[in-house]
Amino acid sequence: MAQAEKAMPFRGSKLNRTPEINAGALATRTVNSLPLRRADFACLADALDYAALGDTGANFYSGRGKLAAVLPYRALREKALVLARRLLSLSLERGARVAIVAETNPDFLRFFFACQYAGLVPVALPAAVNLGGHDAYVVRLRGLLLGCGASAAMASTQFHRFLREAAEGVDLAFVGTPAAFDELPERDVSLKRSGPAETAYLQYTSGSTSFPRGVVIKQEAVMSNLFGVVNHSLDVQPDDRCVSWLPFYHDMGLVGCMLAPMATQRSIDYIDTRDFAMRPRRWLELMTSTRASISFSPPFGYDLCARRIRSEDVGRYDLSAWRIAGIGAEPIRAELPDRFAKLLAPAGFNPRAFVPCYGMAESSLAISFSPVRQGVIVDWIDADYLAEHLRAIPAGPKTGRVNGFVRCGAPLPGHEVAIRDDQGNALPDLHVGRIKVRGPSVMSGYFAQPEQTRQALSPDGWLDTGDIGYRVDGSVVVTGRHKDMIIINGRNIWPQDIEHIAERQPGLRPMDASAFFVLGQDDEEVAVVVVQCNISDAAECHQLTQTLHREIQGELGITCLIELVPRHTLPRTSSGKLSRAAAREDYLRRREQERLGAQASTDRISYFEQRDRTAALGR
């Protein structure tokens, strides 16, 4: 590593202890020599200019938990300025989009901030081939390149072949690896950074209900969101340090775990998302060794830890410095935070560290935050009354079926949240309706999609989040997605209620079931649940199917079509969420294939039974 890139050592207090690393490299400091500023900047480039005056920065760890790369903010700024001039040698127009396959490495940060200094617009693309394989990933990349109208695109050597294939026939000025971009000449120009009214970046949505859309976020919008989060929601302190395994192509990873630390001059330690998925303990190990105080995760990250960490290993962790454990990005199951906190209590984890929050890419990141040090507050609701009347009435001693919903706190300062019915009328507290938000963090629209923008954004600035929920005591409570609601005989059926029944069966796990509706005879909605499992015995499949039929009928009063499929069948978004929309498409595709077959069954039998019957027909 060149002298200019060497980090200041940890020194002084316990908070500044050096992690165990090889090769003598030193991670950036926790306590900065620079006075703390909490995101009070006009644009992202201004924020990096200030952070570069101090000693903090980003640190990247390998799958083995060793420090692999150190990028102080001062080095990031220097490298970004050089790259900005190289990008401008391509004669790109101001505001041109630069697509970046967003791996967790220093190159992503370098390219992202080079765009800020050059007046270009970075677009983070998913760095996950996923279970769809080579062809599906290439098709996805191609759709994203075309969707954002990219003028240049970058990927590491690991992903470059996919990007090259996806870019064939697409009008791009340059496609290459970081090394290829570094061979471009530096254009001798005075750089003009992106100003407050210009676009800071495009953020693709997760695609849980449709193909991902490019959210246009202006500098003033993201800076407003960052200011609200770090001042009013997290109350960032001079001795805070962050850890993240979230991908940069997810809004929580990009804004919450890359831009927020930089805009507050905090050091952050990264592990790759894939490394976390294989070894969740790396997250807790890094929190322990760096004495980090802030880290965020969707619920499934906490769940993965709770399932994979053995109770006898908890004693090796020290999580007593973890003061903010953000949890959001998807509905929070009421029992999960409590299970995680009880498991890690011997390691010093405080359940009051949990900070439930609600947000989305269309609002830069955050819409609402629970108060720090409050912990998780759960509303225990009469589930049957909720389904019939769309009102959240507290459960009583004689309540039959109960649902727990987590409060996600009050809206950020300067933002409004309203709950409205389908006719647009405002609803009082505890009445469930569409969640709408208005404020300075809201997107400008979807890139090159005026009709979708018109549907989501009203002329007076209200964003239809697509979520449904209610307000109580000033707090936002999310109960689901509007498009996912199943309506049978005039009754509202929550897909997560069906999924919970499936996932509590022995051998099944969270996110092993996806419920949705299909149209049956006379175009009425029919509930379907696809369950992934490792059961191959026909008798066991039949028993599980019958159990699910019985429990769903008994608890929800509906008949549900049930399909069992092998593990790793249910599709997920780039950010790891289950996609009910994609699961529905896959289900319908399989049904069409059966219809075209010689002997398509009219029963909803399991994948394995169908396989055996097909084999028998072949004989």
Side-chain angles (χ1 to χ4, degrees):
M1 184 181 296
Q3 182 68 32
E5 295 178 85
K6 287 186 177 178
M8 295 294 291
F10 284 80
R11 57 191 179 206
S13 69
K14 186 178 179 182
L15 269 173
N16 290 336
R17 186 171 62 193
T18 305
E20 292 297 320
I21 54 177
N22 290 330
L26 296 172
T28 57
R29 296 178 57 187
T30 294
V31 177
N32 205 343
S33 61
L34 196 64
L36 171 64
R37 287 180 62 180
R38 296 184 179 91
D40 56 340
F41 304 96
C43 63
L44 292 172
D46 288 356
L48 182 55
D49 284 350
Y50 184 74
L53 300 175
D55 314 308
T56 53
N59 309 281
F60 299 83
Y61 287 76
S62 70
R64 298 181 62 186
K66 305 302 181 183
L67 185 60
V70 177
L71 186 64
Y73 292 130
R74 63 175 179 270
L76 172 58
R77 180 179 183 275
E78 293 168 1
K79 293 173 179 292
L81 288 170
V82 171
L83 181 57
R85 293 188 174 90
R86 289 195 165 117
L87 290 174
L88 291 178
S89 73
L90 297 172
S91 299
L92 303 179
E93 294 183 357
R94 190 167 185 83
R97 274 72 58 203
V98 177
I100 313 165
V101 176
E103 292 182 85
T104 307
N105 60 35
D107 279 320
F108 178 81
L109 275 70
R110 185 166 64 102
F111 273 75
F112 185 93
F113 284 102
C115 291
Q116 304 303 316
Y117 286 113
L120 303 173
V121 177
V123 187
L125 304 184
V129 179
N130 289 332
L131 300 172
H134 178 111
D135 292 344
Y137 181 57
V138 168
V139 169
R140 186 178 184 85
L141 282 183
R142 183 177 178 82
L144 298 176
L145 290 172
L146 292 170
C148 71
S151 295
M154 181 280 283
S156 71
T157 52
Q158 181 179 357
F159 284 89
H160 185 249
R161 63 190 181 99
F162 299 105
L163 181 63
R164 270 286 180 194
E165 190 174 337
E168 288 182 7
V170 180
D171 186 17
L172 294 169
F174 197 83
V175 179
T177 63
F181 277 90
D182 288 340
E183 293 178 359
L184 293 171
E186 288 187 56
R187 187 174 177 184
D188 186 15
V189 294
S190 178
L191 295 175
K192 183 181 178 183
R193 65 191 58 198
S194 295
E198 293 183 283
T199 301
Y201 57 87
L202 296 190
Q203 174 79 62
Y204 272 111
T205 61
S206 64
S208 58
T209 58
S210 63
F211 188 82
R213 290 167 289 185
V215 176
V216 180
I217 298 294
K218 291 186 176 181
Q219 296 278 352
E220 56 194 2
V222 68
M223 294 312 304
S224 169
N225 204 254
L226 290 170
F227 184 86
V229 168
V230 303
N231 284 277
H232 302 283
S233 302
L234 303 184
D235 189 24
V236 171
Q237 297 298 308
D239 59 357
D240 277 327
R241 187 180 187 92
C242 310
V243 164
S244 176
W245 54 264
L246 297 169
F248 291 138
Y249 48 83
H250 185 270
D251 52 345
M252 186 181 279
L254 178 71
V255 182
C257 299
M258 188 186 91
L259 299 182
M262 182 278 301
T264 53
Q265 312 89 53
R266 299 301 88 210
S267 281
I268 181 162
D269 305 296
Y270 293 110
I271 51 177
D272 188 87
T273 306
R274 290 164 291 186
D275 292 330
F276 163 76
M278 291 187 290
R279 303 175 188 85
R281 67 181 185 275
R282 294 288 186 238
W283 184 22
L284 306 186
E285 290 170 355
L286 199 53
M287 295 295 296
T288 297
S289 65
T290 63
R291 298 288 295 166
S293 54
I294 299 176
S295 193
F296 277 72
S297 172
F300 78 82
Y302 293 104
D303 177 68
L304 190 59
C305 272
R307 287 191 286 108
R308 295 273 196 89
I309 301 299
R310 298 179 300 182
S311 57
E312 58 266 30
D313 293 333
V314 169
R316 71 175 61 178
Y317 308 122
D318 180 359
L319 306 178
S320 57
W322 196 351
R323 75 177 187 91
I324 294 177
I327 181 169
E330 60 188 40
I332 305 167
R333 294 190 178 181
E335 70 279 2
L336 173 59
D338 183 62
R339 182 157 52 94
F340 181 89
K342 287 179 178 176
L343 174 67
L344 276 303
F349 182 82
N350 186 342
R352 294 171 70 89
F354 274 121
V355 180
C357 52
Y358 168 55
M360 57 182 49
E362 286 90 340
S363 189
S364 299
L365 173 63
I367 293 173
S368 69
F369 260 88
S370 295
V372 173
R373 292 178 290 277
Q374 174 182 275
V376 177
I377 294 180
V378 179
D379 287 348
W380 297 102
I381 299 301
D382 184 325
D384 292 323
Y385 195 91
L386 176 69
E388 183 175 355
H389 301 286
L390 292 180
R391 287 187 61 192
I393 301 301
K398 296 183 179 181
T399 300
R401 205 164 53 87
V402 177
N403 271 349
F405 295 106
V406 173
R407 296 189 182 186
C408 294
L412 293 184
H415 294 71
E416 305 169 81
V417 169
I419 309 297
R420 302 185 185 276
D421 61 21
D422 288 340
Q423 289 71 46
N425 301 309
L427 296 174
D429 279 10
L430 297 175
H431 285 247
V432 174
R434 291 175 176 262
I435 301 176
K436 301 199 175 187
V437 60
R438 180 168 65 177
S441 297
V442 171
M443 68 174 184
S444 303
Y446 295 117
F447 183 79
Q449 293 185 307
E451 180 57 28
Q452 287 84 345
T453 299
R454 186 190 64 78
Q455 292 174 6
L457 270 178
S458 68
D460 56 351
W462 284 99
L463 169 70
D464 187 341
T465 65
D467 292 319
I468 49 180
Y470 61 91
R471 295 285 299 272
V472 57
D473 297 334
S475 187
V476 179
V477 181
V478 183
T479 58
R481 292 286 295 174
H482 187 268
K483 288 184 178 180
D484 291 340
M485 183 71 82
I486 303 168
I487 302 175
I488 297 178
N489 296 327
R491 291 182 56 225
N492 298 302
I493 306 297
W494 304 84
Q496 58 265 36
D497 286 351
I498 301 174
E499 293 162 355
H500 289 179
I501 292 172
E503 290 164 358
R504 74 188 182 201
Q505 305 304 318
L508 297 183
R509 309 167 302 182
M511 296 202 295
D512 269 348
S514 185
F516 46 86
F517 72 87
V518 296
L519 295 180
Q521 294 180 351
D522 300 322
D523 288 337
E524 81 281 8
E525 293 188 8
V526 178
V528 178
V529 62
V530 178
V531 181
Q532 58 185 22
C533 60
N534 280 334
I535 303 174
S536 57
D537 180 76
E540 290 184 38
C541 286
H542 178 74
Q543 182 178 353
L544 175 57
T545 301
Q546 292 302 108
T547 299
L548 292 175
H549 276 304
R550 183 174 61 254
E551 294 190 10
I552 292 171
Q553 176 67 49
E555 293 190 30
L556 303 179
I558 63 170
T559 299
C560 184
L561 301 180
I562 298 166
E563 181 186 45
L564 306 186
V565 297
R567 286 265 191 237
H568 309 304
T569 297
L570 289 176
R572 298 191 184 192
T573 68
S574 60
S575 59
K577 300 177 186 176
L578 283 178
S579 173
R580 294 189 182 107
R584 181 177 185 272
E585 291 177 7
D586 287 352
Y587 173 84
L588 292 173
R589 188 181 305 113
R590 289 192 293 272
R591 298 291 73 77
E592 179 65 11
Q593 290 171 349
E594 288 182 3
R595 188 186 69 80
L596 296 175
Q599 185 65 44
S601 172
T602 58
D603 297 328
R604 296 304 92 196
I605 61 177
S606 78
Y607 166 89
F608 299 99
E609 290 173 296
Q610 182 64 43
R611 177 196 63 188
D612 293 340
R613 290 188 183 187
T614 302
L617 285 172
R619 290 195 297 269

